[in-house]
Amino acid sequence: MTDAQQLERTLVLVKPDGVARGLVGEVLGRIERKGYRLEAIELRMATRELLAEHYHEHRRKPFYEPLVEFMLSGPIIAVVASGDRVIEGFRSLAGATDPTAAAPGTIRGDLARDWGVGVTKNIVHGSDSRESAEREIALWFPGL
Ligand code: DAT
Ligand code: MG
């Protein structure tokens, strides 16, 4: 297998808490300093329909409705980043889902905590597999 076969794209979202707190530059800077390439960036409001597709796997979970309401609470930065093993690499930069438990040095570990609303406000989303990445990129950036 050649290195070229590991070249991937991932969908990153800076969630409404990250945008509201002025952390867009911080998140994008970490992606760039790690050496990944930014392929597309857009500031936009999500819609209920888009989030229903994006979070389809979580639709029956108890946190689904609060999660969707949170994701609709303000603008989001949607990003496509590329690089070798970027899907795994960005998940590593992001840290664990629960920001209280996320390791220091990670985006969530350094910049987020439990604000009394559980683990919902954790600043970023990153695709978790090649299949999810391609599905999510097609949702947020049709035609890219
Ligand atoms: P990740 O974003 O780390 O991939 P996930 O896909 O399991 O995590 O969940 C999607 C988002 O849903 C997550 O970023 C925050 C929210 N979430 C997950 N588990 C939760 C829980 N137990 N309570 C509240 N929100 C939760
Ligand atoms: Mg996930």
Side-chain angles (χ1 to χ4, degrees), residues 82-131:
S82 69
D84 291 279
R85 297 174 65 198
V86 67
I87 296 168
E88 177 187 1
F90 180 76
R91 299 273 297 181
S92 175
L93 287 182
T97 304
D98 177 352
T100 296
T106 65
I107 293 166
R108 290 162 169 171
D110 285 348
L111 306 171
R113 64 178 176 88
D114 190 330
W115 308 95
V117 293
V119 311
T120 306
K121 294 188 174 182
N122 59 8
I123 306 180
V124 287
H125 166 83
S127 309
D128 64 7
S129 66
R130 281 193 180 214
E131 188 183 29

Side-chain angles (χ1 to χ4, degrees), residues 13 16 44-55 64 67-76 139-140:
L13 301 176
R44 59 182 289 185
M45 290 295 295
T47 63
R48 210 169 276 284
E49 294 68 35
L50 177 59
L51 293 168
E53 302 259 7
H54 179 82
Y55 280 132
Y64 178 78
L67 174 63
V68 168
E69 291 304 322
F70 161 62
M71 293 293 283
L72 289 170
S73 68
I76 285 173
L139 276 176
W140 289 84

